[in-house]
Amino acid sequence: MAEGDNRSTNLLAAETASLEEQLQGWGEVMLMADKVLRWERAWFPPAIMGVVSLVFLTIYYLDPSVLSGVSCFVMFLCLADYLVPILAPRIFGSNKWTTEQQQRFHEICSNLVKTRRRAVGWWKRLFTLKEEKPKMYFMTMIISLAAVAWVGQQVHNLLLTYLIVTFLLLLPGLNQHGIISKYIGMAKREINKLLKQKEKKNE
């Protein structure tokens, strides 16, 4: 058991080191984005919502086709991949990195590796469910996809995408400031109250 844990830890460290090397040119930008997403300043949440709203209003105004939208998005990614490693050191000054910044960059890369592992793990569980319980797998997939299709039919695609993107960008800050855990705790307390009241009525 200990050998398995050590192997997993070593593999995680190796994957993190490899990702750090790949993203070294993006280090300054990632640290800045991390500060924004974790709401280190009070005006960051409205700034996130403002930027996202501006982008989606521009898309709504231009109304590009799917092919044009995908092409522009990929073109933007290619430009960013080329320009960011060149411009970031000149703007932020990579030679001024502190030990704290390097440690935070390491934590970000480690969290990205863990997130990727979780996604792969869920994907593998899905195929395991398909092999072991095919009926449950197909019923779950059909019901889930039907629900998603129904929501997509009721809500405009662009509005739905806007809500999803906004929520995902606000999620790290919500977690960092304990807002999600606060409301989850409130919901659990209310559910427990209802269950207790139901038990008393049954008695």
Side-chain angles (χ1 to χ4, degrees):
M1 185 69 178
E3 290 182 4
D5 292 339
N6 290 334
R7 188 179 303 170
S8 178
T9 303
N10 293 335
L11 185 58
L12 176 63
E15 290 179 9
T16 302
S18 175
L19 187 62
E20 283 183 35
E21 185 177 353
Q22 294 173 17
L23 297 177
Q24 194 63 44
W26 285 76
E28 296 86 355
V29 176
M30 290 176 65
L31 289 175
M32 181 58 65
D34 177 65
K35 291 179 180 179
V36 173
L37 294 176
R38 289 190 295 116
W39 304 357
E40 289 197 356
R41 297 187 181 180
W43 57 272
F44 281 161
I48 292 172
M49 296 184 68
V51 171
V52 174
S53 300
L54 180 62
V55 170
F56 276 86
L57 282 173
T58 304
I59 295 172
Y60 177 77
Y61 176 76
L62 295 175
D63 192 22
S65 65
V66 175
L67 186 59
S68 298
V70 172
S71 298
C72 290
F73 179 70
V74 174
M75 181 174 62
F76 174 77
L77 290 180
C78 291
L79 285 172
D81 186 51
Y82 175 73
L83 293 175
V84 167
I86 297 174
L87 298 178
R90 299 178 183 179
I91 297 173
F92 297 100
S94 59
N95 56 337
K96 298 179 182 179
W97 267 39
T98 62
T99 305
E100 184 180 352
Q101 288 174 317
Q102 185 62 43
Q103 178 63 28
R104 184 57 196 163
F105 178 64
H106 174 76
E107 291 174 1
I108 293 170
C109 292
S110 178
N111 289 335
L112 290 174
V113 171
K114 290 176 183 176
T115 302
R116 182 175 63 188
R117 282 187 164 193
R118 290 192 195 101
V120 172
W122 279 106
W123 188 256
K124 288 180 179 178
R125 288 190 192 99
L126 192 63
F127 279 95
T128 302
L129 180 65
K130 180 182 177 182
E131 293 175 359
E132 296 179 354
K133 300 178 180 179
K135 291 182 180 179
M136 181 182 292
Y137 165 79
F138 284 112
M139 286 297 295
T140 303
M141 292 299 294
I142 289 171
I143 293 172
S144 301
L145 293 174
V148 172
W150 181 82
V151 171
Q153 189 67 25
Q154 301 301 315
V155 185
H156 191 278
N157 289 335
L158 192 61
L159 175 60
L160 188 60
T161 307
Y162 167 75
L163 294 174
I164 293 172
V165 170
T166 303
F167 174 74
L168 290 176
L169 291 176
L170 293 176
L171 186 59
L174 292 171
N175 281 328
Q176 179 71 19
H177 292 268
I179 297 173
I180 291 180
S181 58
K182 173 185 174 182
Y183 284 100
I184 290 176
M186 290 173 60
K188 286 181 178 178
R189 285 194 295 271
E190 291 298 324
I191 292 171
N192 289 332
K193 286 181 183 178
L194 292 173
L195 292 174
K196 288 179 180 178
Q197 289 175 1
K198 189 175 181 180
E199 288 176 358
K200 288 180 180 178
K201 289 180 180 179
N202 293 334
E203 291 174 358

